[in-house]
Amino acid sequence: MRLRRHKSGTLTAMAEDLYRRSGGMIGSLSQLIRGAALLAIEDGTEQITRDHLELVPLDYAAQTSTSPARRSAKAV
């Protein structure tokens, strides 16, 4: 999916947040990015932002992940 206004490297800059939210699970990461992209299309911004990512609910796998990323996020 190509977003007209999305700048290359934006998601790379959010790598730590994406990893934490997805629990390091590729399927959860895919769902998270896809959901944010759909929101960006719907609101006309055509770029994924942190706000878009925060609006996407985590899937069950990410919510119940016991990866180090999820454990440290729960401790905070």
Side-chain angles (χ1 to χ4, degrees), residues 1-31:
M1 178 179 325
R2 185 160 174 92
L3 300 172
R4 289 186 323 229
R5 294 185 188 112
H6 189 79
K7 291 186 171 72
S8 180
T10 303
L11 294 179
T12 305
M14 297 184 217
E16 287 184 37
D17 289 337
L18 291 169
Y19 182 78
R20 178 187 49 78
R21 288 214 55 221
S22 67
M25 305 187 76
I26 192 70
S28 298
L29 176 63
S30 176
Q31 292 279 73

Side-chain angles (χ1 to χ4, degrees), residues 16-65:
E16 287 184 37
D17 289 337
L18 291 169
Y19 182 78
R20 178 187 49 78
R21 288 214 55 221
S22 67
M25 305 187 76
I26 192 70
S28 298
L29 176 63
S30 176
Q31 292 279 73
L32 182 60
I33 292 172
R34 182 178 183 278
L38 290 172
L39 290 172
I41 290 167
E42 287 175 357
D43 71 13
T45 60
E46 293 281 329
Q47 58 186 345
I48 295 174
T49 65
R50 283 190 201 281
D51 290 339
H52 290 123
L53 291 166
E54 291 297 324
L55 289 172
V56 177
L58 296 177
D59 65 5
Y60 180 78
Q63 288 179 24
T64 60
S65 172

